[in-house]
Structure formats: structure tokens, C-alpha cells
Amino acid sequence: LENASEAAVELVALRRLLEDLLFLKESYNFDMPLSVREQEGPEMIAIKLLERTVAADLVADVIAREVRPYLARHSVTSERCLLYYLQDLMEGVTATASAMSGSAWEAKALAIISCITDVDIK
């Protein structure tokens, strides 16, 4: 009975991952292999959604229409996620930061900062 119970838990977890992949595809046109989704938490998925946008003038819209709703779906607050992304962006850790020129990543960082509403984080 214990093995059946463990199998049922694993099956439910797999179903949630597959539903999340379907949601990402249908809602945001964002494809991701199951193997990657198994390794990535909602915060990293949200960052990947944000990294698709290089143009600073589109950042606020992506945060409002994709990042915040996706994180809310997983009961994760977006403010800290945006802060961590900014820290990575400024350190040049993310793929987007290394691919963008100095002024482009700065404009993107400023656009993200303008979307942060928590005064303590800002």
C-alpha cells in the first residue's frame, strides 16, 4: 500500500508539471521540456519569461501580463523574484545581460525597478 501511495503522489506531481507546461504554452507561447520544468521552480520560469523580452519599453507589460500572473498561480510574490533578477542582471549572470549592451540592460533594469511596488525592496 505504501508503494501505491508513493506512486499516486508522484503521479499527481507529474500531472501538475504537465498542466503547468500546458498553461505556459497556451497562455504565453512558452515551450519548455518536461525535464527542464522538473528542475526549475516558478521563480526561474518567471525569469525565463522575463528574459525573452530585451526591449525595455515592453518589460512592464511582460511583468504585468506574464510574470506576475504566473508567479501568483504558484503563490509566489513577484517583488522578491524581480529583485533577485535585477541583482543577477547587474552582475551579468543572466544570459540576457551578457547579450545586451550596457545601456540596454540598464534601461531594462530601470524598467523592472519601476514595476516594483514594495518600498522595502525598491
Side-chain angles (χ1 to χ4, degrees):
L1 183 63
E2 187 174 308
N3 287 340
S5 200
E6 289 174 15
V9 168
E10 288 180 16
L11 190 57
V12 168
L14 177 60
R15 180 180 175 172
R16 284 190 186 129
L17 288 173
L18 291 171
E19 287 173 345
D20 197 48
L21 287 172
L22 183 61
F23 175 81
L24 287 165
K25 174 66 177 167
E26 290 178 347
S27 300
Y28 309 128
N29 196 29
F30 187 76
D31 287 318
M32 172 180 288
L34 176 61
S35 60
V36 174
R37 178 59 189 92
E38 288 175 314
Q39 303 299 316
E40 304 284 0
E43 297 90 347
M44 286 305 299
I45 305 298
I47 286 171
K48 289 177 186 294
L49 289 169
L50 188 55
E51 283 186 334
R52 295 190 307 173
T53 306
V54 178
D57 57 332
L58 300 177
V59 167
D61 189 48
V62 169
I63 289 172
R65 292 184 333 123
E66 295 181 10
V67 174
R68 288 190 196 278
Y70 181 75
L71 289 172
R73 174 181 165 89
H74 292 280
S75 302
V76 176
T77 59
S78 58
E79 302 290 290
R80 289 237 177 258
C81 182
L82 293 174
L83 173 65
Y84 296 141
Y85 178 71
L86 276 172
Q87 289 170 336
D88 284 349
L89 188 66
M90 288 187 283
E91 292 171 7
V93 172
T94 63
T96 303
S98 61
M100 295 190 318
S101 68
S103 61
W105 79 260
E106 289 169 356
K108 185 173 184 177
L110 289 172
I112 294 169
I113 290 169
S114 71
C115 293
I116 296 175
T117 57
D118 186 327
V119 177
D120 293 331
I121 291 178
K122 205 173 211 178

